[in-house]
Amino acid sequence: MSDPYAPAMTSGMHQLADEVHDTVMALSPLEASVLGDHRFDAMLPDVSPAGRAAAREALGRLDDRVAALDDRVLTRDERVTADVARHTIAQARHELDDKYVRTAAGPIASGAGIGSPVSALLATLPKVALTNPEQARDHLTRCGRIPDWLEATESQLRSGVATGCVPAARLVALTIRQLDRYLGTPISDDPLRRAPSGGTGDPGRWRAALADIVDTRIRPALRRHRDVLADEIAPAARRDAEVGLVH
């Protein structure tokens, strides 16, 4: 049954808008999960150079299709949707830029436009709602992938140091402080352990599996990540006198 409140758009416009949405959600699986799109619950953002290159190509093809639209034959609702699609694609492409990725070391809560992946992880993962066994299994899979994912983000930060594309020192310091607060939390109170267990089938067994992943894999990986920031990234980071586009 059609939605009587849906904007009046042609099927072609609907399809293109859906493709843009699906592509961006796949590139931002944590955000997708929080928004209730559970297709990507087992995934983490692909921050590898090859992954980002493939994503830029996919977004470029979508951008070309949106640019080819003839505004003269679009309805008002379609023009609005096309504008939103253009903005969404542009923002996603910006976040895939090498300079953005290699300087992404500030905490999300700092208000910085360049938030670190680890900060986004800590802020987002505890908010994911799980309502059935498949989502619960995918959540465990995602959590198990976090250590390798953190290594990939560290590789990008190291590439930034090697090429002189480094984050601001005060943002690195804030992220280190955020990680220190997290790591100083007793394991029993770890927010990553507190994912809702509704629909997991066997809550006790599922929580035990999650606790094991958090305690033996995620927390050590986050401790290593904290040390990488402190020992490798912070010494090379930009000081307050080196801010702005010229640096």
Side-chain angles (χ1 to χ4, degrees):
M1 180 177 178
S2 61
D3 182 355
Y5 300 102
M9 290 189 286
T10 66
S11 59
M13 189 69 240
H14 268 301
Q15 180 180 350
L16 181 53
D18 286 346
E19 288 183 44
V20 172
H21 171 80
D22 290 347
T23 300
V24 171
M25 288 295 96
L27 295 176
S28 306
L30 283 167
E31 181 180 356
S33 295
V34 171
L35 292 174
D37 186 343
H38 292 283
R39 293 174 295 170
F40 314 105
D41 281 352
M43 296 171 57
L44 291 162
D46 187 348
V47 298
S48 69
R52 287 185 289 112
R56 284 194 293 266
E57 289 182 10
L59 290 169
R61 290 192 294 270
L62 288 171
D63 198 29
D64 290 342
R65 289 170 60 190
V66 175
L69 295 171
D70 186 348
D71 285 350
R72 296 172 298 178
V73 300
L74 298 178
T75 67
R76 182 186 65 177
D77 291 329
E78 288 173 336
R79 288 195 296 272
V80 171
T81 300
D83 284 342
V84 172
R86 292 185 187 101
H87 172 78
T88 301
I89 292 169
Q91 179 63 26
R93 294 177 83 173
H94 168 67
E95 292 176 2
L96 291 167
D97 184 87
D98 284 345
K99 290 184 179 179
Y100 183 100
V101 172
R102 291 174 181 174
T103 59
I108 299 297
S110 72
I114 303 177
S116 71
V118 69
S119 181
L121 178 78
L122 293 175
T124 305
L125 196 59
K127 299 176 183 177
V128 175
L130 309 173
T131 60
N132 62 52
E134 181 180 4
Q135 293 171 13
R137 288 193 298 271
D138 285 347
H139 187 79
L140 292 180
T141 299
R142 170 184 277 166
C143 287
R145 291 172 171 168
I146 288 174
D148 289 342
W149 177 73
L150 286 172
E151 284 193 12
T153 68
E154 291 156 12
S155 176
Q156 293 308 304
L157 290 171
R158 290 186 177 111
S159 294
V161 171
T163 58
C165 186
V166 293
R170 64 172 56 229
L171 294 182
V172 179
L174 287 171
T175 300
I176 292 171
R177 188 167 69 184
Q178 182 182 31
L179 283 166
D180 284 341
R181 287 199 303 269
Y182 167 79
L183 293 169
T185 302
I187 291 179
S188 58
D189 296 329
D190 192 309
L192 299 184
R193 275 175 156 225
R194 296 201 299 265
S197 57
T200 57
D202 185 342
R205 183 176 180 180
W206 183 84
R207 285 198 175 280
L210 177 62
D212 181 66
I213 293 172
V214 172
D215 299 351
T216 65
R217 301 185 62 190
I218 295 178
R219 287 180 72 98
L222 288 171
R223 189 171 293 109
R224 183 203 67 228
H225 188 79
R226 183 259 181 221
D227 291 343
V228 169
L229 291 176
D231 299 339
E232 301 181 42
I233 309 304
R238 288 179 287 119
R239 305 299 131 179
D240 287 352
E242 301 174 305
V243 297
L245 296 176
V246 296
H247 296 284

